[in-house]
Amino acid sequence: MIKRRPFHHSIYFKSKKRPITSTCAVPLDPQPTSNDHTSLFQSRVHDLLRRGLLSSAQQAIQRFIASSPTVPDAVFAIEFAAASGVDLGLGISCEILRKLVDLGEPLSAHDFYHDHLIARGIEPDSNIVNSMVICLAKLGKLDDAVKLFDRLIGSEDCVLSNAACTMILEGFYEQDKFLEAFDYFVRISDANVKLGMWIYNVLINGLCHQGYVGEAIQKGWLVEAELVIEEMEVQGFFVDKVMYTSLMNAHGKNKKMKMAMRVYFRMLKKGCDPDICTYNTLIHGFLKMGLFDKAWVLWNLMSDLGIQPNEVTYNLMICYYCKQGKLDCAFDYFVRISDPNVKLGMWIYNVLINGLCHQGYVGEAIQVFDIMCKNTGLPPTRHMFKTLFFGLCKKGWLVEAELVIEEMEVQGFFVDKVMYTSLMNAHGKNKKMKMAMRVYFRMLKKGCDPNICTYNTLIHGCLKMGLFDKAWVLWNLMSDLGIQPNEVTYNLMICYYCKQGKLDCATMLLNSMVPCNLAPCVRSYTPIIAALYKQNRCLEVDEMCERMLESGIIPNHVLFFVLMKNEPKGLELQLCLLMLQAIAKNGCGLDHSSLSNFDKINSSAGLEQEIELILREITRIDLNLCNVAGSIYVSALCEGGKTEAALACFKNVASAGCIPLLFAFNSLIKRLFQDGRFEDVKSLFEIMQTEGIVPNLETYLIMVNEYCKQEDLASAFGILDQMKEMGPKPNVAIYDCIIACLSKQGRISEAETVFHRMHRDGLDLDEVAYMTMIKAYTRNGRGDKALNLFEKMIENAIQRSSYSYTALLSG
């Protein structure tokens, strides 16, 4: 329990030893005058805490602070929360900051912000930053307020308050900095914040008195502004380029670029030479309307006139390319900037790094990051570090990812459990569980508590390497810490037991989920069904499928694939109908059980007609389920050799507003390859890229395998190069296809090179990989090398079957 101490108006919170304490010069009893409202508040909070409703208790405290008429009343609520053991959280912290500022205690608010939020490493949200901008402005610390305001307006989730914007502008007015005020006025207007009329009046008056008439006319009265310019010309006053440019900018904001260009030509006619600001304004207007060709014409015109682009020009062009998803073009523009005086805005670096990382250009993102640190001298933001970190983890550059975490810790940023868990997951994928556990212990050392996702990640990595004992230790450790296994944990263990052929253990785990208030899903049943097939226990497959569907579980494409691969060929449409009936019943509430007897449907056409009827009804009710059902149907048609029907179904699903699953794309690619329709494969691959669907290892394996069947090794190696550049890393099966094809063509030295490349890429070679290379040697009369490789296989403790010995003896 936190001891209570008296509070006073200075409210200086110290967070090192206790969540909330105070120092006071003049003691003030925090207990407000006893009244029904206070008593009701206390009893309400105690009641909520007793019932375990911590979030509701925090909300009640927040509402009490919001309605507090005085600082002592608000302080009482905070002291009461501390005594009750309630963590303040962002919501309560934001409310107390706002209340202190509103009640004329900005110094106390400033102390609270630094000692209770910043010192504890809490990342303030937009509401808190808005309150602190007001607080700093009231304290006369305009520079600090402007820095906070810049960070707020430059963030992706920018939420500006009217009061914060007003205080920033007031601060500039008091110092007669009307031109600076105008710059922020433009940015605030771009953020669609509505300001009071007096803000406009004071700004226009100040600008006019200081001679900045062009800025003053940006209020938006463009007709009147043009009349002012005409009157100035009649009176013989010189209208400068600043005024013309301001008028162009105003037209550009209204997306009236014809009017802006009319002002531009009028400017030229009057003998006023445009400058870089003029061209930046026009380029911005055209880019805003998506008229890139016209923006490029202006860029070239600048060059012809000897006007060099500046940081604003580059910012505009890079930002436009990023928004269009053309990160390669944006990066090219970035590296073109050779002028050391060109300083790009921090937000441009943010946009560029974020876009590059999301599209897999992590090396380029690091280059941008290094240049930013060197040129700007500004420390990177937490968001920038996290973007770079996740990009590195996705790419598999884990040494660099760990360096990012170390740098974040040096900079004082909090590394959260999501980042630690992501790094563990990346190490687990590389089968480096010692490294993953090292990250886990580092996480504990830094005071970051792991959650169920952390333990699931570690258990998955251990099971992947066959380290069941260590996975079980982690399971028990979770229980000791009071973290209950969830559906994912159970599914991981069930899948492992199935791979080991221990179906009794897997079934026991499945049966224990319901007593633990966990609902088995299709992922729980699918590995058991696959294992039953492997052990030829087909009757039990039927029982397991029936049990699963009767429990209301919606089947997915993975289950369909397992069933289709293990049932006799020719039953694809019957299985598809069964799956769609289950989806319609369990997912949409439609009952098609009357059609479960396939004998009533005598032809393939009848099956297709019934499937399409159900698919239309699923599409009408739930587009997400239409995605799954449509993809299953496409795959069934492809497996049955009905290419045209599969393409028609694919188009129908897409026209309904659904993007078919990657599973359906893979089935179609394989079918089109088998039909020799290579141009259609390229078109389908382009559709995937357009829709943002990333090919997986199965996609690339299908393509490499089909190219190798045609002995088109140039295209197969092209796929390898593409994977090396964009990911994912090729697996053993892909290399095996290429080695087998090279062997068939007698290119044994090249096959050896590919085999050694697998080693260099850090892949764990299995029996199939060794057997493929041994066959290559024996086929080409290199029995000695085949024997040496077999002995190496024994040294590396690779499990051998009769197939390995057969491959060796054949040579």
Side-chain angles (χ1 to χ4, degrees):
M1 182 66 68
I2 300 174
K3 294 182 180 180
R4 302 180 62 178
R5 296 186 180 183
F7 279 68
H8 73 106
H9 287 277
S10 70
I11 317 179
Y12 180 74
F13 296 94
K14 294 182 179 178
S15 58
K16 291 183 180 178
K17 294 185 179 180
R18 301 181 183 275
I20 302 178
T21 60
S22 68
T23 62
C24 55
V26 182
L28 174 66
D29 187 353
Q31 296 287 349
T33 305
S34 178
N35 54 54
D36 292 339
H37 179 63
T38 305
S39 301
L40 181 62
F41 160 68
Q42 289 178 299
S43 62
R44 173 64 174 162
V45 172
H46 280 309
D47 180 56
L48 291 169
L49 291 174
R50 191 181 68 255
R51 290 158 56 195
L53 302 174
L54 179 60
S55 177
S56 299
Q58 289 175 320
Q59 291 174 14
I61 294 169
Q62 190 174 340
R63 288 194 296 271
F64 185 88
I65 293 171
S67 61
S68 298
T70 65
V71 170
D73 288 327
V75 169
F76 164 73
I78 297 298
E79 180 69 359
F80 176 71
S84 303
V86 178
D87 183 66
L88 298 187
L90 280 177
I92 297 176
S93 299
C94 178
E95 200 57 57
I96 190 66
L97 273 174
R98 188 186 64 78
K99 182 58 66 175
L100 289 171
V101 172
D102 289 349
L103 294 177
E105 292 287 344
L107 185 58
S108 300
H110 183 267
D111 292 338
F112 176 83
Y113 173 76
H114 278 281
D115 295 331
H116 187 67
L117 294 176
I118 300 302
R120 292 175 61 190
I122 297 174
E123 188 77 17
D125 60 12
S126 294
N127 293 326
I128 290 177
V129 175
N130 276 309
S131 295
M132 282 309 300
V133 168
I134 298 169
C135 169
L136 291 167
K138 286 187 175 182
L139 290 172
K141 299 180 178 181
L142 183 60
D143 291 342
D144 292 338
V146 167
K147 287 178 183 177
L148 265 184
F149 191 83
D150 284 341
R151 195 177 82 182
L152 180 64
I153 203 169
S155 63
E156 292 182 354
D157 52 347
C158 170
V159 179
L160 298 174
S161 75
N162 185 288
C165 296
T166 301
M167 288 300 298
I168 286 290
L169 294 175
E170 271 189 46
F172 284 122
Y173 293 174
E174 289 172 3
Q175 298 181 20
D176 285 338
K177 295 181 177 179
F178 288 98
L179 199 56
E180 291 85 347
F182 172 76
D183 290 337
Y184 278 86
F185 167 82
V186 172
R187 295 173 70 186
I188 291 167
S189 299
D190 288 342
N192 295 320
V193 177
K194 305 300 180 185
L195 299 170
M197 184 56 72
W198 74 273
I199 288 286
Y200 291 88
N201 289 337
V202 175
L203 182 58
I204 291 172
N205 185 58
L207 288 168
C208 289
H209 276 287
Q210 291 187 0
Y212 300 113
V213 181
E215 284 76 5
I217 67 173
Q218 284 217 19
K219 183 178 175 183
W221 297 349
L222 302 186
V223 175
E224 292 79 357
E226 294 214 28
L227 290 173
V228 168
I229 286 179
E230 289 176 6
E231 185 63 27
M232 287 179 68
E233 290 171 345
V234 169
Q235 297 287 342
F237 292 108
F238 177 70
V239 181
D240 59 27
K241 64 187 71 179
V242 177
M243 294 181 66
Y244 283 120
T245 302
S246 298
L247 191 53
M248 291 177 216
N249 185 49
H251 282 307
K253 282 185 179 178
N254 293 337
K255 295 187 176 181
K256 294 182 177 179
M257 287 308 296
K258 285 185 178 179
M259 296 294 291
M261 288 304 294
R262 189 175 64 82
V263 175
Y264 170 74
F265 289 122
R266 178 178 179 176
M267 174 184 184
L268 296 178
K269 185 179 179 181
K270 295 293 181 179
C272 184
D273 295 328
D275 59 6
I276 185 61
C277 295
T278 308
Y279 287 106
N280 284 342
T281 300
L282 292 171
I283 288 172
H284 184 212
F286 282 123
L287 291 177
K288 191 175 177 182
M289 293 179 66
L291 303 172
F292 181 74
D293 291 342
K294 294 188 177 180
W296 192 247
V297 168
L298 287 166
W299 177 290
N300 291 330
L301 182 60
M302 284 168 51
S303 301
D304 294 342
L305 294 173
I307 300 173
Q308 295 301 315
N310 64 2
E311 58 267 24
V312 176
T313 325
Y314 284 109
N315 279 337
L316 290 170
M317 301 297 282
I318 291 171
C319 186
Y320 171 80
Y321 276 127
C322 288
K323 285 181 179 178
Q324 297 296 312
K326 299 177 180 178
L327 273 303
D328 51 346
C329 298
F331 183 73
D332 286 344
Y333 260 91
F334 176 79
V335 297
R336 265 203 237 172
I337 304 172
S338 56
D339 187 350
N341 295 320
V342 173
K343 303 294 182 184
L344 298 177
M346 179 65 80
W347 65 279
I348 279 292
Y349 287 106
N350 266 320
V351 169
L352 196 51
I353 290 172
N354 188 61
L356 289 168
C357 285
H358 276 86
Q359 290 201 11
Y361 299 107
V362 182
E364 289 80 357
I366 293 174
Q367 189 177 342
V368 173
F369 182 86
D370 291 339
I371 292 172
M372 181 204 73
C373 294
K374 179 182 177 182
N375 290 356
T376 67
L378 296 173
T381 62
R382 184 171 183 265
H383 171 75
M384 192 178 290
F385 273 124
K386 289 185 73 173
T387 300
L388 202 57
F389 170 80
F390 289 122
L392 290 165
C393 285
K394 188 177 179 181
K395 193 77 171 176
W397 296 0
L398 305 187
V399 174
E400 292 81 358
E402 295 214 25
L403 290 174
V404 169
I405 284 185
E406 290 176 7
E407 186 62 27
M408 287 182 70
E409 291 170 347
V410 170
Q411 297 281 349
F413 291 112
F414 177 69
V415 182
D416 58 33
K417 63 189 70 178
V418 177
M419 294 182 68
Y420 282 119
T421 303
S422 298
L423 189 54
M424 292 177 215
N425 183 51
H427 281 307
K429 283 183 178 178
N430 291 339
K431 296 186 178 181
K432 295 183 178 178
M433 287 309 297
K434 285 185 178 179
M435 297 295 290
M437 291 304 298
R438 189 174 65 80
V439 175
Y440 169 75
F441 290 122
R442 179 179 182 175
M443 176 184 184
L444 296 178
K445 185 179 178 182
K446 294 294 181 180
C448 183
D449 296 328
N451 60 9
I452 184 63
C453 295
T454 308
Y455 286 106
N456 284 342
T457 299
L458 292 171
I459 288 172
H460 184 211
C462 289
L463 292 177
K464 189 176 178 182
M465 294 181 66
L467 305 173
F468 180 74
D469 292 341
K470 293 187 178 180
W472 194 247
V473 168
L474 288 164
W475 179 294
N476 292 329
L477 181 59
M478 285 167 54
S479 301
D480 295 341
L481 294 173
I483 301 173
Q484 296 303 314
N486 62 5
E487 292 89 345
V488 176
T489 326
Y490 275 93
N491 291 341
L492 288 170
M493 300 297 282
I494 288 170
C495 189
Y496 174 79
Y497 277 130
C498 289
K499 286 180 179 179
Q500 297 298 310
K502 299 177 181 179
L503 275 170
D504 292 339
C505 296
T507 307
M508 182 186 68
L509 271 180
L510 178 70
N511 294 335
S512 67
M513 290 180 73
V514 174
C516 295
N517 295 319
L518 297 173
C521 64
V522 68
R523 293 184 182 88
S524 310
Y525 285 94
T526 302
I528 295 178
I529 291 170
L532 287 170
Y533 270 123
K534 194 172 182 179
Q535 296 183 12
N536 293 320
R537 295 159 65 176
C538 297
L539 290 177
E540 292 176 66
V541 169
D542 296 338
E543 292 173 4
M544 191 63 70
C545 284
E546 187 177 351
R547 170 185 167 183
M548 179 189 71
L549 297 179
E550 284 181 355
S551 66
I553 289 174
I554 303 170
N556 65 3
H557 65 284
V558 180
L559 176 64
F560 171 72
F561 185 78
V562 170
L563 294 172
M564 184 174 65
K565 288 299 178 185
N566 289 282
E567 290 294 328
K569 193 163 179 66
L571 296 179
E572 295 86 11
L573 291 177
Q574 285 91 332
L575 287 172
C576 176
L577 179 57
L578 178 65
M579 293 293 102
L580 265 63
Q581 285 174 343
I583 291 171
K585 182 180 178 181
N586 297 341
C588 304
L590 302 171
D591 189 4
H592 290 271
S593 58
S594 61
L595 292 172
S596 60
N597 185 1
F598 301 125
D599 295 335
K600 294 182 181 180
I601 303 173
N602 298 319
S603 66
S604 174
L607 277 170
E608 290 179 34
Q609 186 177 359
E610 181 59 26
I611 290 170
E612 287 167 8
L613 172 65
I614 298 174
L615 183 57
R616 281 196 296 271
E617 294 189 19
I618 293 172
T619 304
R620 179 176 56 83
I621 294 172
D622 192 326
L623 285 178
N624 289 325
L625 290 178
C626 164
N627 238 354
V628 178
S631 297
I632 288 174
Y633 186 32
V634 168
S635 182
L637 290 168
C638 288
E639 194 68 22
K642 298 177 179 292
T643 310
E644 293 303 328
L647 286 170
C649 176
F650 184 89
K651 290 176 183 176
N652 289 338
V653 171
S655 63
C658 299
I659 300 174
L661 301 177
L662 178 57
F663 171 70
F665 280 97
N666 288 345
S667 298
L668 263 178
I669 287 171
K670 185 176 181 180
R671 184 74 257 164
L672 291 169
F673 260 120
Q674 290 171 348
D675 290 349
R677 299 168 64 168
F678 308 121
E679 291 303 319
D680 289 338
V681 171
K682 291 179 182 178
S683 299
L684 196 60
F685 212 75
E686 288 172 3
I687 292 172
M688 289 175 67
Q689 292 176 325
T690 303
E691 297 294 341
I693 297 174
V694 180
N696 62 4
L697 280 171
E698 179 68 21
T699 317
Y700 289 116
L701 176 59
I702 289 168
M703 297 178 74
V704 170
N705 188 43
E706 294 300 328
Y707 281 131
C708 288
K709 282 181 182 179
Q710 300 160 33
E711 299 192 21
D712 183 2
L713 280 168
S715 298
F717 278 113
I719 297 293
L720 270 186
D721 293 337
Q722 184 177 341
M723 294 178 74
K724 184 178 180 181
E725 181 182 351
M726 300 299 297
K729 186 166 70 173
N731 61 8
V732 174
I734 290 175
Y735 282 114
D736 282 349
C737 290
I738 294 176
I739 291 171
C741 188
L742 288 167
S743 167
K744 190 176 179 182
Q745 295 183 7
R747 297 158 66 177
I748 192 66
S749 60
E750 292 175 70
E752 281 183 315
T753 302
V754 174
F755 185 78
H756 294 314
R757 180 173 170 181
M758 283 197 285
H759 279 287
R760 288 199 306 273
D761 288 349
L763 294 175
D764 292 327
L765 305 188
D766 56 11
E767 183 195 11
V768 177
Y770 279 98
M771 194 168 65
T772 304
M773 195 63 219
I774 288 170
K775 280 184 177 180
Y777 282 134
T778 56
R779 174 180 284 181
N780 290 274
R782 307 291 290 275
D784 55 335
K785 289 204 169 187
L787 183 59
N788 290 337
L789 190 58
F790 186 80
E791 290 173 352
K792 191 173 182 181
M793 185 178 174
I794 296 172
E795 288 175 12
N796 293 334
I798 304 296
Q799 188 175 4
R800 298 166 304 285
S801 67
S802 60
Y803 295 107
S804 301
Y805 290 98
T806 303
L808 181 64
L809 292 173
S810 65

